[in-house]
Amino acid sequence: RPPPMPLIKIFATSAVKPLPVQALQAALCKVWGTSPGVTKLMFSHVQDWTHSGEDVFVDIRAKGTAERTKEVVSKKVGEVQQVFADHGYKANVRLELYPVEIYHHLPPKQ
């Protein structure tokens, strides 16, 4: 069973060039050690926002697990930021961990 993949929401204004979602998904799977079948990226254009010079705002929610220590998470956030930089985007990355016992997921039936 693959490790749980964080939900990754990407926000950008319409002025930002189109994001290569498939390529980003592949790169982010490498960062998190998952496969595309369990990876969920969501991209949204927003009308406007307050920002600090970023092209995209990346919001990640992930299960808090024993292996996701502060050091590991800090490293992974940096790797996520680098993935976006490799594709030409300056990213502001935020990650929130939540307790495993409150996680529920119901995928669509096949």
Side-chain angles (χ1 to χ4, degrees), residues 34-68:
T34 58
S35 66
V38 297
T39 301
K40 182 59 92 176
L41 268 68
M42 301 172 90
F43 173 67
S44 298
H45 274 118
V46 295
Q47 287 292 108
D48 202 3
W49 64 15
T50 59
H51 60 83
S52 52
E54 69 270 19
D55 298 314
V56 295
F57 183 85
V58 182
D59 185 25
I60 304 170
R61 289 202 68 222
K63 288 183 191 179
T65 61
E67 54 276 352
R68 288 189 177 146

Side-chain angles (χ1 to χ4, degrees), residues 1-7 32 60-69 73 95-105:
R1 182 174 172 212
M5 175 62 185
L7 170 62
W32 294 101
I60 304 170
R61 289 202 68 222
K63 288 183 191 179
T65 61
E67 54 276 352
R68 288 189 177 146
T69 63
V73 168
L95 185 138
E96 174 186 351
L97 297 177
Y98 56 85
V100 174
E101 53 276 351
I102 67 167
Y103 176 77
H104 302 281
H105 178 230

Side-chain angles (χ1 to χ4, degrees), residues 78-99:
E79 290 175 21
V80 168
Q81 195 173 55
Q82 187 59 52
V83 164
F84 282 88
D86 291 346
H87 287 87
Y89 300 94
K90 186 175 180 182
N92 184 350
V93 183
R94 172 194 176 275
L95 185 138
E96 174 186 351
L97 297 177
Y98 56 85

